[in-house]
Amino acid sequence: METINPSIEESWKSALSAEFEKLYFLELKEFLLEERKKYRIFPPGSLIFNAFNHTPFDKVKVVFIGQDPYHGYGQAHGLCFSVPEGISKPPSLVNIFKEIDADLGIPPPKHGNLEKWANQGVLLLNATLTVRENQAGSHQHHGWENFTDAAILQLSTQKEGLIFVLWGNFAIAKRDLIDLNRHHVLTAPHPSPFSAAKGFFGCRHFSKINEILRKEGKDEIDWQI
């Protein structure tokens, strides 16, 4: 099945190989097959594992955790918070760029494609990897969370010194999957317009990430896209 065949980057395929054989994943495939008969599903099949393909397991330095893909036409391309060039920036992404400007003096870019971050080792992972058009959260609780939780657990147990960035209550709940003795965790309210003023603005997470990377002896992230 083209749309959910795990054509995923090799180091991730190795790390997550056991998941592809589990009952929940087989049921998830069947669910998606049925969904595609009735609805338009985002992102396109070739981009479902885009976050993994841009940021191989052995290259991950920073992990952002989102909830589920954008559900408007053309928005989702498999990276949390990101949209392809030519697509209007959603409000949360606008606020992310405002915080980068305030934190680092990098003016907001003209587009919202975060692939440049992903290619530097920033895993932009949604907990749910697909969604029905115009139906937010419609593919939650059908198996994707098992898969992405397994990815977080593999990162937590197999690597050291990662920086997990958890914005909003949903992402902060994922802290239970992370070994806090091995990794760094940054938390703040979600950048959504409903909550950004409650502590997302002023969190300075982008400069803090680079400060931690320096201390870990790793290359900093160039946040300019």
Side-chain angles (χ1 to χ4, degrees), residues 9-69:
E9 188 276 330
E10 284 303 317
S11 62
W12 277 110
K13 185 175 280 189
S14 175
L16 297 171
S17 58
E19 301 304 308
F20 299 123
E21 308 303 322
K22 291 182 178 177
L23 179 61
Y24 84 82
F25 199 84
L26 302 177
E27 290 175 344
L28 174 60
K29 283 186 181 181
E30 291 302 313
F31 167 73
L32 289 172
L33 274 171
E34 291 304 309
E35 285 286 285
R36 287 191 182 279
K37 292 176 183 176
K38 300 179 240 178
Y39 307 101
R40 182 180 274 167
I41 305 303
F42 299 138
S46 62
L47 297 178
I48 289 173
F49 295 111
N50 209 21
F52 301 97
N53 293 336
H54 274 282
T55 314
F57 185 81
D58 51 358
K59 304 292 187 188
V60 176
K61 299 191 289 191
V62 182
V63 183
F64 284 78
I65 298 176
Q67 191 156 4
D68 64 341

